[in-house]
Amino acid sequence: MIREDKFLISRKPYAVNLGSLRGDRTETPQGRNEYYFAGRIDAVWFRRRKGVTVACIGELWDLQHPEPADAREFLEHHDDGRYGGDCHGRWDGKSYWGNVTLEQQEQHLAVLRPMLANYPNLPDGWDGWWRF
């Protein structure tokens, strides 16, 4: 991924929580002390759906070898954007979409409501903009 300071929705950028990188080492099917790091990092992003700007929350994931030293290295080595982010919740200003608990919906909306209200500014506490 490439980090940019300027937001352009056409580039489909993501903002991430650099402190949220997590993952596990998993041996490859071949074994022999070979592994990959299955990493995930929390992300938020804007998209257009049917002419309406929406705010999304979820995560980016990637399988990497070797294990990255930190979140920036994870993002810099994440080069396959064909799947995009895994969206867990979406807010369009009127309704929320997501298959999560009510408590998680409330947590999502605490981020998504001000994010959409301040479009296209970077949400507080998130690092961006990252794009493929």
Side-chain angles (χ1 to χ4, degrees), residues 7 13 15 43-47 53-57 91 108-124 126 129:
F7 174 83
V44 293
W45 59 94
F46 294 110
R47 292 296 185 269
T53 301
V54 298
C56 305
I57 191 166
W91 173 247
H108 289 175
L109 287 169
V111 174
L112 297 175
R113 281 183 171 135
M115 182 178 156
L116 188 59
N118 293 310
Y119 174 84
N121 297 321
L122 186 66
D124 290 338
W126 297 79
W129 294 98

Side-chain angles (χ1 to χ4, degrees), residues 10-127:
S10 62
R11 294 199 177 173
K12 298 182 177 179
Y14 298 87
V16 298
N17 176 345
L18 293 174
S20 68
L21 178 64
R22 62 214 173 269
D24 298 301
R25 279 187 175 197
T26 302
E27 284 193 24
T28 64
Q30 295 80 17
R32 300 185 303 270
N33 294 325
E34 295 178 20
Y35 72 92
Y36 60 86
F37 175 75
R40 300 180 104 53
I41 191 167
D42 294 341
V44 293
W45 59 94
F46 294 110
R47 292 296 185 269
R48 303 276 296 162
R49 291 182 48 80
K50 300 178 184 176
V52 175
T53 301
V54 298
C56 305
I57 191 166
E59 58 190 10
L60 299 170
W61 63 272
D62 194 26
L63 305 177
Q64 297 183 2
H65 180 80
E67 183 175 346
D70 58 23
R72 286 191 180 275
E73 186 176 323
F74 174 79
L75 293 167
E76 289 167 357
H77 290 150
H78 189 359
D79 60 359
D80 185 357
R82 64 185 144 171
Y83 301 111
D86 286 347
C87 186
H88 298 164
R90 182 174 57 235
W91 173 247
D92 66 7
K94 295 180 183 176
S95 62
Y96 173 88
W97 168 91
N99 187 17
V100 295
T101 66
L102 182 57
E103 181 181 345
Q104 289 171 308
Q105 289 177 28
E106 291 168 350
Q107 292 169 356
H108 289 175
L109 287 169
V111 174
L112 297 175
R113 281 183 171 135
M115 182 178 156
L116 188 59
N118 293 310
Y119 174 84
N121 297 321
L122 186 66
D124 290 338
W126 297 79
D127 185 76

